[in-house]
């Protein structure tokens, strides 16, 4: 890989020192007295005029030399451009060259407002030189520009905000160096960022892209919230923000879960330290701030070192290799003890013996992480790219009063990569299968050319999708058929059960009353309202209303009850006013038993029956006394009797008084 910019001097030592100085100063490959904020990564970067976004100074000059890998070209995009045009771009201008040094060729020269923000400048080679010259002027912010290789066609600048784009989801490429001193964001993860925030700066804060490398971001737009929290992460402080119409979050790999310090998955035996603070307070109580107290969000004091020097450390054993993507730290979390670590380094190891200090890519010095600024606030730092380790060790560098901290590690399970496939050094080249899966070679023996392989390899790419579609479809079809058959069977069973049950009576169909007394009912001219009982009693054997030869005798079933009548049968009322006085007891052929040997009355001798609702005043309804009562007509057995009717004009001596 080439150096990030133009390098002058001789020797590898001078070159290394120049690169280190450029990174530390944030100047990149630049020269002159008019250069502003500059960060240049291996594939992208950002640079501005001096004092941007304020007015640039008079009579200054700066040149930026941008290099890419051989065979690549450079894409240049401006996020802001405001250079005063006082003399037709003679003293103040921006000039862009294709190439570097003596071989460069001018592409364009800009001043005033001639350069539009949407304009993209593409080089013809892998080198570009940008020259900015300022003369005497009154106003002008200067410019901000970003660059990348031409394969990053969705490049945006550090000034682009989410409110500029209207798609619900989109992907953009952020250049390196978007942790600018003049950018602002509101919000944090996982709640989201306000739509007025810079997309790329929020991406660095969220830990999805690196400020040194840049990277791709996948943005999702959602409905805004009333309040946006502020937080400190990856050296960027987000501010508290008010209500907005929309917010945005980032799609990630999902490897940002906690690894067990807060939850207690990591036991106390796997947390160790160089020393711990211990003292006895004025009440005689012993206080020990041991390493097991370094769990994030655990109530009470934190871990604190017994000595305040750079030799102190806190070590965490994850028990097995994990993919670690970040770390969260706090201070003592106790207002009485304003202890915290403001800067620290990190080392990691797979076996606890060989340790590696963490460094950012393309940087040859150990990274110093920004720690806490008070005893309680949480501060997050992400590792891009992630590290794979079992052991993590934290070395405090700066602290307030005493070394004290609580910690949580972020990451996920580590899945070891597949073993490298064996390389065949001789024989015919192996062609990949149709599914593009790598071919694993188990033997390196080369078969003779005369032997041909006639085995036909099945095309899994066609069979597998077909089976994946047919199997679920067949399962759904058979499940549906089983459910339909079950429902039909259930309905038929319910129908059979309902046929054997009696419903409540409805007045729109004929219903018959149950019999009041036993015996034959052949003595009445009109039909009775009583239905015979199911079982035959001895009284039914003598007379059968259905087999009686007399056609004038009606059967024992009555006419259907009227729809507007009462639910139960109406008591029979007989008009006895047209007969001679005498005992009113019926013969043995009647349904009422009487004493004596009086001859039965002739069939049809009685007059018509009167309804209980008859308004005639010539009759009065009276009921006989039950068996055992004193009266003229003592009943031989307990039966229900027909109510007797006695005219008001004739006194009835046989009825009850």
């Amino acid at each position: 890989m080439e150096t990030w910019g133009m390098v002058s001097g001789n020797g590898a030592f001078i070159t290394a020192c120049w690169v280190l100085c450029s990174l530390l100063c944030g100047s990149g490959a630049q020269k002159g007295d008019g250069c502003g904020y500059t960060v240049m990564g291996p594939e992208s970067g950002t640079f501005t005029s001096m004092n941007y976004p304020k007015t640039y100074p008079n009579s200054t000059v700066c040149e930026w030399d941008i290099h890419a890998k051989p065979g690549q070209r450079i894409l240049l995009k401006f996020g802001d451009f405001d250079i005063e045009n006082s003399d037709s771009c003679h003293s103040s201008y921006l000039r862009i060259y294709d190439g570097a040094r003596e071989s460069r060729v001018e592409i364009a020269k800009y001043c005033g407002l001639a350069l539009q923000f949407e304009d993209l400048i593409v080089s013809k080679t892998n080198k570009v030189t940008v020259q900015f010259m300022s003369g005497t002027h009154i106003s002008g912010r200067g410019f901000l520009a970003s660059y990348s290789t031409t394969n990053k066609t969705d490049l945006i600048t550090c000034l682009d905000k989410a409110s500029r784009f209207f798609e619900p989801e989109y992907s953009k490429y952020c250049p390196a160096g978007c942790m600018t001193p003049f950018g602002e964001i509101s919000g944090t993860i996982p709640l989201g960022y306000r739509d007025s925030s810079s997309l790329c700066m929020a991406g660095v804060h969220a830990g999805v892209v690196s400020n040194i490398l840049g990277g791709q971001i996948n943005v999702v737009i959602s409905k805004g919230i009333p309040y946006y929290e502020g937080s400190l992460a990856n050296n960027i402080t987000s501010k508290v923000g008010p209500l907005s119409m929309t917010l945005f979050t980032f799609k990630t790999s999902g490897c940002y879960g906690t690894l067990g310090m807060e939850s207690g998955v990591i036991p106390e035996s796997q947390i160790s330290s160089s020393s711990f603070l211990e003292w006895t307070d004025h009440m005689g109580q012993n206080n020990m701030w041991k390493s097991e107290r370094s769990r994030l969000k655990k109530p009470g004091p934190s871990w604190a070192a017994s000595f305040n020097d750079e030799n102190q450390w806190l070590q965490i054993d994850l028990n097995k290799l994990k993919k670690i993507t970040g770390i969260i730290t706090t201070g003592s979390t106790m207002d009485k003890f304003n202890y915290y670590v403001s800067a620290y380094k990190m080392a990691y190891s797979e076996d606890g013996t060989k340790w590696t200090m963490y460094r950012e890519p393309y940087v040859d010095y150990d990274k110093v992480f920004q720690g806490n600024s008070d005893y309680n606030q949480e501060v997050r730092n992400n590792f891009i790219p992630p590290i794979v380790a079992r052991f993590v060790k934290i070395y405090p560098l700066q602290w307030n009063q005493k070394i004290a901290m609580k910690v949580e590690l972020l990451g996920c399970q580590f899945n070891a990569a597949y073993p490298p496939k064996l390389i065949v050094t001789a024989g015919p080249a192996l062609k990949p299968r149709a599914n593009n899966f790598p071919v694993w070679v188990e033997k390196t023996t080369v078969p003779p050319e005369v032997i041909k392989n006639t085995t036909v390899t099945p095309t899994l790419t066609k069979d597998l999708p077909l089976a994946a579609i047919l199997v679920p479809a067949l399962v759904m079809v058979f499940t549906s058929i089983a459910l339909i058959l079950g429902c039909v069977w259930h309905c038929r069973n319910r129908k059979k059960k309902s046929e054997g049950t009696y419903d409540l009576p409805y007045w729109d169909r004929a219903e018959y009353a149950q019999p009041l007394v036993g015996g034959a009912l052949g003595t009445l001219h009109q039909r009775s309202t009583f239905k015979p009982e199911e079982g035959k009693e001895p009284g039914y054997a003598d007379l059968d209303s259905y087999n009686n030869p007399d056609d004038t005798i009606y059967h024992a079933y009555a006419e259907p009850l009227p729809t507007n009548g009462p639910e139960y049968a109406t008591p029979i009322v007989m008009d006895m006013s047209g007969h001679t006085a005498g005992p009113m007891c019926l013969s043995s052929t009647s349904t009422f038993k009487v004493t004596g040997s009086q001859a039965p009355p002739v069939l049809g001798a009685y007059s018509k029956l009167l309804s209980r609702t008859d308004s005639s005043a010539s009759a009065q309804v009276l009921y006989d006394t039950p068996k055992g009562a004193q009266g003229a007509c003592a009943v031989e057995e307990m039966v229900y009797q027909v109510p007797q009717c006695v005219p008001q004009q004739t006194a009835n001596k046989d009825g009850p008084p």
Side-chain angles (χ1 to χ4, degrees), residues 242-292:
L243 171 69
S244 67
M245 294 298 296
T246 59
L247 61 81
F248 65 92
T249 54
F250 300 97
K251 284 185 177 180
T252 65
S253 61
C255 190
Y256 294 94
T258 57
L259 293 182
M261 287 292 288
E262 177 183 349
S263 63
V265 173
I266 300 175
E268 296 181 357
S269 58
Q270 295 175 204
I271 308 173
S272 58
S273 62
S274 57
S275 62
F276 63 89
L277 183 63
E278 182 179 7
W279 83 94
T280 303
D281 58 20
H282 64 281
M283 300 183 62
Q285 184 177 0
N286 191 25
N287 295 274
M288 294 183 294
W289 294 34
K290 293 185 177 181
S291 57
E292 56 263 28

Side-chain angles (χ1 to χ4, degrees), residues 137-159:
H137 64 282
I138 299 175
S139 63
R141 295 185 306 274
F143 69 91
L144 178 143
S146 296
Y147 73 90
S148 69
T149 53
T150 51
N151 59 334
K152 310 295 191 302
T153 57
D154 51 358
L155 172 69
I156 60 176
T157 69
C158 300
L159 299 180

